[in-house]
């Protein structure tokens, strides 16, 4: 009986030992540490100790999904598209980066490598010193809304202009392009009761200050630009909504661009209320060449 118990115990021990899953994350971190310390010769001793003894951040992104090829009967082979194969996320090929921020270093240490989603077979191939710039969420949201509005609303837009609007960065201007006619047309669509209720609601609410900002791309015609104008209550691109899109000349855009005094007045208005968001000038993000126009938030190609 005692021998039977020992045999069962040894069988269970061998079974659980064989099912043990190695820690691929720990192995990958060790590889990243070794690679960084070997290739970065300009670090001081404190920075090297930081990489050696602290846990890094892990940034990951998908390269391609790994499909599992189903087993088929050799007497009855059926062609199946790879897109119809079942997927196994654990086998996806991923781009993994281990990131450290050593003290006294103005950049982060990033060890770049590829491997499976679970870090099996991960191997480093590059180490870089990189500064991560926070995404400008307001700008990206406004640009996405402007692109969709321009492509779907402007009937005579060409294929070249569509690609330019979709894949290039716009210029952002504080503008005063007249839109009274559009507002009047919208008001005429209301019934008398709806118009009355809208007026009463406007009177009862606090005064709303709208700032017009326009996103601008070059058009195919020389001297002409595509302008998507919209309004925001915060003096910036925060919660900006597109209102009109049109072709205008560069000269007309310049005439309807706010000058420095007007922009300073907007800054004063919105900086007086701490509940309002900061003006975009205070968090300027460089995109392209520096522009010369006085009313532009971001530098770019449309320099006057």
């Amino acid at each position: 009986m005692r021998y039977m118990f020992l045999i069962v115990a040894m069988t269970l021990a061998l079974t659980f030992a064989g099912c043990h899953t190695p820690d691929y994350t720990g192995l990958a971190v060790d590889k990243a540490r070794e690679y960084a310390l070997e290739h970065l010769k300009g670090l001081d001793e404190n920075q090297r100790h930081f990489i050696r003894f602290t846990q890094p951040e892990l940034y990951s992104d998908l390269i391609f999904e790994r499909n599992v090829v189903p087993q088929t009967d050799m007497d009855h082979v059926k062609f199946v598209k790879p897109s119809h194969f079942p997927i196994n996320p654990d086998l996806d090929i991923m781009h993994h980066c281990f990131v450290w921020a050593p003290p006294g270093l103005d950049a982060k240490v990033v060890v770049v490598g590829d491997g499976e989603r679970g870090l099996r077979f991960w191997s480093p191939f590059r180490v870089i010193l990189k500064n991560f710039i926070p995404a400008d969420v307001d700008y990206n949201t406004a640009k996405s809304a402007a692109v969709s509005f321009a492509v779907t609303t402007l009937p005579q837009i060409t294929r070249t202009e569509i690609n330019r609007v979709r894949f290039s960065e716009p210029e952002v201007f504080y503008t005063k392009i007249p839109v009274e006619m559009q507002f009047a047309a919208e008001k005429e669509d209301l019934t008398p009761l709806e118009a009355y209720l809208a007026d009463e609601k406007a009177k009862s609410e606090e005064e709303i200050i709208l700032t017009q900002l326009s996103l601008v791309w070059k058009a195919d015609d020389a001297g002409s630009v595509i302008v998507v104008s919209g309004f925001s209550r915060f003096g910036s691109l925060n919660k900006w909504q597109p209102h009109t899109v049109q072709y205008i000349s560069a000269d007309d855009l310049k005439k309807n661009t706010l000058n420095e005094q007007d922009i300073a007045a907007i800054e004063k208005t919105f900086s007086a209320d701490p509940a309002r968001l900061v003006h975009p000038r205070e968090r300027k993000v460089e995109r392209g060449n520096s522009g010369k126009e006085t009313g532009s938030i971001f530098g770019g190609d449309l320099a006057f």
Side-chain angles (χ1 to χ4, degrees):
M1 187 67 180
R2 185 176 60 180
Y3 292 109
M4 182 65 67
F5 176 77
L6 290 175
I7 293 174
V8 172
M10 292 178 63
T11 304
L12 292 175
L14 292 173
T15 301
F16 285 110
C19 295
H20 175 68
T21 302
D23 182 12
Y24 295 116
T25 303
L27 295 175
V29 172
D30 291 341
K31 289 181 182 179
R33 283 198 180 101
E34 182 180 353
Y35 193 88
L37 295 174
E38 179 182 356
H39 290 82
L40 293 178
K41 305 299 183 181
L43 300 179
D44 59 33
E45 200 61 29
N46 289 334
Q47 293 166 348
R48 298 179 71 84
H49 283 325
F50 185 89
I51 295 175
R52 188 176 288 115
F53 299 114
T54 62
Q55 290 297 323
E57 295 181 87
L58 177 61
Y59 297 169
S60 301
D61 197 9
L62 179 67
I63 298 178
F64 61 84
E65 294 180 343
R66 179 69 65 85
N67 296 314
V68 180
V69 180
Q71 295 181 352
T72 58
D73 187 352
M74 295 304 294
D75 296 333
H76 222 48
V77 178
K78 181 180 179 182
F79 177 76
V80 181
K81 293 183 179 179
S83 59
H84 295 165
F85 291 167
I87 62 173
N88 187 346
D90 293 336
L91 301 180
D92 289 346
I93 301 301
M94 303 288 293
H95 188 67
H96 296 293
C97 298
F98 290 98
V99 182
W100 286 271
L105 195 65
D106 294 334
K108 293 187 176 182
V109 175
V110 183
V111 181
V112 185
D114 299 328
E116 292 184 352
R117 185 179 293 273
L119 290 170
R120 187 173 66 159
F121 306 128
W122 184 87
S123 178
F125 59 83
R126 179 181 300 175
V127 59
I128 57 176
L129 299 179
K130 181 177 179 62
N131 285 315
F132 290 89
I133 301 174
D136 191 342
V137 178
D138 293 343
Y139 170 82
N140 292 335
T141 304
K143 178 189 172 184
S144 178
V147 169
S148 178
F149 190 78
V151 170
T152 59
T153 307
L154 202 59
Q156 63 270 42
I157 190 170
T158 65
R159 185 179 297 274
T160 303
E161 291 172 338
I162 290 176
N163 290 332
R164 185 180 301 123
V165 169
R166 290 178 59 194
F167 300 114
S168 66
E169 299 296 328
E171 280 289 292
V172 184
F173 296 89
Y174 284 102
T175 54
K176 51 183 179 181
I177 299 174
V179 291
E180 289 83 358
M181 296 301 296
Q182 286 81 357
F183 278 119
E186 288 184 359
K187 194 169 182 179
E188 289 177 358
D189 295 336
L190 300 177
T191 65
L193 177 60
E194 291 173 337
Y196 170 79
L197 293 176
D199 291 337
E200 289 299 315
K201 183 178 180 181
K203 292 177 183 178
S204 62
E205 293 180 346
E206 63 177 355
E207 181 183 4
I208 297 177
I209 303 176
L210 295 178
T211 304
Q212 186 188 81
L213 295 102
S214 298
L215 280 68
V216 181
W217 288 269
K218 287 184 178 180
D220 288 345
D221 295 337
S224 181
V225 291
I226 300 172
V227 181
V228 181
S229 300
F231 295 90
S232 171
R233 295 180 55 185
F234 302 98
S236 68
L237 290 176
N238 179 258
K239 295 185 179 180
W240 177 91
Q241 293 292 329
H243 186 268
T244 59
V245 57
Q246 55 188 317
Y247 290 99
I248 65 174
S249 66
D251 292 336
D252 289 338
L253 175 63
K254 184 176 180 180
K255 293 176 183 177
N256 289 282
T257 299
L258 299 188
N259 55 35
E260 288 289 348
Q261 294 179 348
D262 296 331
I263 296 176
I266 294 175
E267 289 180 334
K268 183 177 180 180
T269 300
F270 288 93
S271 62
D273 186 356
R276 300 185 189 272
L277 298 184
V278 297
H279 187 272
R281 256 182 195 281
E282 300 179 19
R283 48 184 180 82
K284 182 175 180 181
V285 178
E286 294 294 339
R287 292 187 181 85
N289 300 324
S290 178
K292 301 178 181 178
E293 65 279 19
T294 58
S296 173
I297 300 175
F298 307 115
D301 297 329
L302 297 174
F304 299 129

